[in-house]
Amino acid sequence: MNVAAALIPVEEYLETSYSPDCDYLDGALKGRNVGQQEHSRAQNNLAYRFTAKEDLWGIWSLTEQRIRTGAQRYRVADVCVVRSDAPWEPAITAPPLLCVEILSESDRIADLEDKIEEYLAMGVEMIWVIDPGHRRAWHVVPHNRQEPSDGILRVPGTEIAVPLAEVFAGLP
């Protein structure tokens, strides 16, 4: 769903708050599907887990963070993780360590694929796709997408490990 038909300058996008925040794609605003309890709960569970482990894992956890994926493109990740020595920026320009996308019932796979491709092209090391409605998740890296065989989401080369049971805790 497009929030605005008219193109807006990137500077205006960066100076404006939207509720919920929107992706910015070459001058057009693209709404995000949020607000469902399953989506919100999974996002809260992940953010809590990451925040509790920030010092141990050497990371910062951010929710609904704008990430510059191209010259005129900004995506808003449901949750992202950056290394604790990453620059502090209003909108992230360096590739995050991890981007997490949590599916809502009305999400379109084609839109998700576009977002994943942009994250990978900018150098994001790992993407997790979470489907709270079906209690499934996938690790996504270039040319590979798979469900964790042991029920634990991980970021290779780090201590980051989150059991799916914690992601889906409290969901009916």
Side-chain angles (χ1 to χ4, degrees), residues 20-161:
D21 205 355
C22 303
D23 289 340
Y24 178 86
L25 308 174
D26 302 315
L29 298 178
K30 175 121 176 78
R32 297 168 39 249
N33 297 318
V34 297
Q36 297 170 336
Q37 284 186 343
E38 288 183 338
H39 181 284
S40 182
R41 183 64 183 201
Q43 183 176 8
N44 283 343
N45 288 347
L46 277 169
Y48 174 80
R49 173 71 172 194
F50 289 137
T51 300
K53 299 282 189 171
E54 282 183 340
D55 290 338
L56 179 65
W57 291 344
I59 60 166
W60 292 336
S61 171
L62 305 160
T63 59
E64 300 181 18
Q65 173 65 50
R66 290 179 178 178
I67 301 167
R68 183 177 179 204
T69 60
Q72 294 288 310
R73 297 181 77 83
Y74 287 80
R75 295 296 193 155
V76 179
D78 290 316
V79 179
C80 77
V81 172
V82 297
R83 296 181 192 281
S84 59
D85 61 355
W88 190 262
E89 307 171 281
I92 292 176
T93 60
L97 174 63
L98 169 68
C99 286
V100 180
E101 291 300 321
I102 302 169
L103 300 179
S104 295
E105 286 182 23
S106 53
D107 279 331
R108 292 185 40 214
I109 295 301
D111 292 336
L112 176 65
E113 292 295 331
D114 290 345
K115 199 170 197 179
I116 287 170
E117 290 305 316
E118 284 183 42
Y119 288 151
L120 292 173
M122 79 170 293
V124 174
E125 294 182 43
M126 173 64 71
I127 300 162
W128 293 350
V129 176
I130 310 289
D131 181 353
H134 295 98
R135 308 299 189 270
R136 295 178 72 185
W138 295 266
H139 294 104
V140 180
V141 295
H143 312 296
N144 190 4
R145 181 174 314 205
Q146 63 184 3
E147 291 185 69
S149 59
D150 61 357
I152 299 173
L153 290 164
R154 292 186 170 82
V155 176
T158 75
E159 294 183 40
I160 297 173

